[in-house]
PDB file of all heavy atoms in Angstrom:
ATOM      1  N   ALA A 249     -58.219 -92.913  38.030  1.00  0.00           N
ATOM      2  CA  ALA A 249     -56.876 -93.345  37.650  1.00  0.00           C
ATOM      3  C   ALA A 249     -56.490 -92.767  36.289  1.00  0.00           C
ATOM      4  O   ALA A 249     -55.380 -92.283  36.088  1.00  0.00           O
ATOM      5  CB  ALA A 249     -56.809 -94.872  37.611  1.00  0.00           C
ATOM      6  N   ASN A 250     -57.436 -92.804  35.366  1.00  0.00           N
ATOM      7  CA  ASN A 250     -57.165 -92.305  34.022  1.00  0.00           C
ATOM      8  C   ASN A 250     -56.953 -90.801  34.019  1.00  0.00           C
ATOM      9  O   ASN A 250     -56.087 -90.287  33.324  1.00  0.00           O
ATOM     10  CB  ASN A 250     -58.319 -92.666  33.096  1.00  0.00           C
ATOM     11  CG  ASN A 250     -58.555 -94.151  33.063  1.00  0.00           C
ATOM     12  OD1 ASN A 250     -57.655 -94.928  33.388  1.00  0.00           O
ATOM     13  ND2 ASN A 250     -59.754 -94.547  32.702  1.00  0.00           N
ATOM     14  N   PHE A 251     -57.776 -90.143  34.825  1.00  0.00           N
ATOM     15  CA  PHE A 251     -57.668 -88.697  34.892  1.00  0.00           C
ATOM     16  C   PHE A 251     -56.286 -88.280  35.376  1.00  0.00           C
ATOM     17  O   PHE A 251     -55.651 -87.398  34.815  1.00  0.00           O
ATOM     18  CB  PHE A 251     -58.738 -88.134  35.823  1.00  0.00           C
ATOM     19  CG  PHE A 251     -58.635 -86.660  36.014  1.00  0.00           C
ATOM     20  CD1 PHE A 251     -59.086 -85.801  35.025  1.00  0.00           C
ATOM     21  CD2 PHE A 251     -58.075 -86.134  37.166  1.00  0.00           C
ATOM     22  CE1 PHE A 251     -58.975 -84.435  35.185  1.00  0.00           C
ATOM     23  CE2 PHE A 251     -57.967 -84.766  37.334  1.00  0.00           C
ATOM     24  CZ  PHE A 251     -58.414 -83.915  36.341  1.00  0.00           C
ATOM     25  N   ARG A 252     -55.817 -88.966  36.390  1.00  0.00           N
ATOM     26  CA  ARG A 252     -54.516 -88.619  36.939  1.00  0.00           C
ATOM     27  C   ARG A 252     -53.405 -88.803  35.914  1.00  0.00           C
ATOM     28  O   ARG A 252     -52.483 -87.997  35.816  1.00  0.00           O
ATOM     29  CB  ARG A 252     -54.208 -89.479  38.173  1.00  0.00           C
ATOM     30  CG  ARG A 252     -54.903 -88.971  39.407  1.00  0.00           C
ATOM     31  CD  ARG A 252     -54.993 -90.016  40.490  1.00  0.00           C
ATOM     32  NE  ARG A 252     -55.894 -89.536  41.531  1.00  0.00           N
ATOM     33  CZ  ARG A 252     -55.471 -88.878  42.623  1.00  0.00           C
ATOM     34  NH1 ARG A 252     -54.203 -88.660  42.817  1.00  0.00           N
ATOM     35  NH2 ARG A 252     -56.348 -88.445  43.494  1.00  0.00           N
ATOM     36  N   ARG A 253     -53.490 -89.863  35.168  1.00  0.00           N
ATOM     37  CA  ARG A 253     -52.476 -90.065  34.130  1.00  0.00           C
ATOM     38  C   ARG A 253     -52.534 -88.944  33.089  1.00  0.00           C
ATOM     39  O   ARG A 253     -51.525 -88.420  32.661  1.00  0.00           O
ATOM     40  CB  ARG A 253     -52.682 -91.416  33.440  1.00  0.00           C
ATOM     41  CG  ARG A 253     -51.636 -92.452  33.826  1.00  0.00           C
ATOM     42  CD  ARG A 253     -51.679 -93.614  32.877  1.00  0.00           C
ATOM     43  NE  ARG A 253     -53.016 -94.178  32.781  1.00  0.00           N
ATOM     44  CZ  ARG A 253     -53.529 -95.009  33.664  1.00  0.00           C
ATOM     45  NH1 ARG A 253     -52.826 -95.399  34.698  1.00  0.00           N
ATOM     46  NH2 ARG A 253     -54.748 -95.478  33.509  1.00  0.00           N
ATOM     47  N   LYS A 254     -53.756 -88.622  32.713  1.00  0.00           N
ATOM     48  CA  LYS A 254     -53.938 -87.664  31.623  1.00  0.00           C
ATOM     49  C   LYS A 254     -53.393 -86.270  31.946  1.00  0.00           C
ATOM     50  O   LYS A 254     -52.791 -85.624  31.095  1.00  0.00           O
ATOM     51  CB  LYS A 254     -55.437 -87.557  31.323  1.00  0.00           C
ATOM     52  CG  LYS A 254     -55.779 -86.845  30.039  1.00  0.00           C
ATOM     53  CD  LYS A 254     -57.264 -87.042  29.751  1.00  0.00           C
ATOM     54  CE  LYS A 254     -57.697 -86.341  28.483  1.00  0.00           C
ATOM     55  NZ  LYS A 254     -59.077 -86.743  28.120  1.00  0.00           N
ATOM     56  N   ILE A 255     -53.616 -85.822  33.167  1.00  0.00           N
ATOM     57  CA  ILE A 255     -53.201 -84.462  33.491  1.00  0.00           C
ATOM     58  C   ILE A 255     -51.823 -84.425  34.166  1.00  0.00           C
ATOM     59  O   ILE A 255     -51.366 -83.353  34.563  1.00  0.00           O
ATOM     60  CB  ILE A 255     -54.234 -83.747  34.386  1.00  0.00           C
ATOM     61  CG1 ILE A 255     -54.624 -84.603  35.582  1.00  0.00           C
ATOM     62  CG2 ILE A 255     -55.476 -83.375  33.599  1.00  0.00           C
ATOM     63  CD1 ILE A 255     -53.767 -84.419  36.745  1.00  0.00           C
ATOM     64  N   LYS A 256     -51.193 -85.584  34.259  1.00  0.00           N
ATOM     65  CA  LYS A 256     -49.922 -85.686  34.991  1.00  0.00           C
ATOM     66  C   LYS A 256     -48.874 -84.662  34.529  1.00  0.00           C
ATOM     67  O   LYS A 256     -48.195 -84.041  35.349  1.00  0.00           O
ATOM     68  CB  LYS A 256     -49.447 -87.141  34.872  1.00  0.00           C
ATOM     69  CG  LYS A 256     -47.996 -87.430  34.654  1.00  0.00           C
ATOM     70  CD  LYS A 256     -47.700 -88.899  34.813  1.00  0.00           C
ATOM     71  CE  LYS A 256     -47.693 -89.789  33.559  1.00  0.00           C
ATOM     72  NZ  LYS A 256     -48.100 -89.414  32.257  1.00  0.00           N
ATOM     73  N   ASP A 257     -48.789 -84.426  33.205  1.00  0.00           N
ATOM     74  CA  ASP A 257     -47.770 -83.495  32.716  1.00  0.00           C
ATOM     75  C   ASP A 257     -48.138 -82.028  32.910  1.00  0.00           C
ATOM     76  O   ASP A 257     -47.283 -81.159  32.818  1.00  0.00           O
ATOM     77  CB  ASP A 257     -47.511 -83.727  31.223  1.00  0.00           C
ATOM     78  CG  ASP A 257     -46.881 -85.084  30.977  1.00  0.00           C
ATOM     79  OD1 ASP A 257     -46.239 -85.616  31.903  1.00  0.00           O
ATOM     80  OD2 ASP A 257     -47.044 -85.607  29.867  1.00  0.00           O
ATOM     81  N   MET A 258     -49.402 -81.784  33.160  1.00  0.00           N
ATOM     82  CA  MET A 258     -49.838 -80.395  33.290  1.00  0.00           C
ATOM     83  C   MET A 258     -49.578 -79.835  34.668  1.00  0.00           C
ATOM     84  O   MET A 258     -49.606 -78.629  34.858  1.00  0.00           O
ATOM     85  CB  MET A 258     -51.349 -80.282  33.014  1.00  0.00           C
ATOM     86  CG  MET A 258     -51.715 -80.336  31.567  1.00  0.00           C
ATOM     87  SD  MET A 258     -53.500 -80.417  31.382  1.00  0.00           S
ATOM     88  CE  MET A 258     -53.944 -78.704  31.593  1.00  0.00           C
ATOM     89  N   VAL A 259     -49.401 -80.720  35.636  1.00  0.00           N
ATOM     90  CA  VAL A 259     -49.284 -80.245  37.016  1.00  0.00           C
ATOM     91  C   VAL A 259     -47.975 -80.692  37.643  1.00  0.00           C
ATOM     92  O   VAL A 259     -47.306 -81.594  37.147  1.00  0.00           O
ATOM     93  CB  VAL A 259     -50.464 -80.757  37.882  1.00  0.00           C
ATOM     94  CG1 VAL A 259     -51.779 -80.205  37.390  1.00  0.00           C
ATOM     95  CG2 VAL A 259     -50.488 -82.284  37.901  1.00  0.00           C
ATOM     96  N   GLU A 260     -47.640 -80.027  38.729  1.00  0.00           N
ATOM     97  CA  GLU A 260     -46.419 -80.317  39.477  1.00  0.00           C
ATOM     98  C   GLU A 260     -46.802 -80.521  40.934  1.00  0.00           C
ATOM     99  O   GLU A 260     -47.534 -79.707  41.489  1.00  0.00           O
ATOM    100  CB  GLU A 260     -45.513 -79.083  39.448  1.00  0.00           C
ATOM    101  CG  GLU A 260     -44.383 -79.152  38.482  1.00  0.00           C
ATOM    102  CD  GLU A 260     -43.566 -77.863  38.563  1.00  0.00           C
ATOM    103  OE1 GLU A 260     -43.784 -77.030  39.476  1.00  0.00           O
ATOM    104  OE2 GLU A 260     -42.729 -77.694  37.681  1.00  0.00           O
TER     105      GLU A 260
END
Side-chain angles (χ1 to χ4, degrees):
Chain A
N250 302 338
F251 176 77
R252 280 161 191 266
R253 253 194 306 280
K254 193 170 179 170
I255 50 89
K256 140 170 94 352
D257 294 335
M258 283 172 80
V259 296
E260 258 180 9

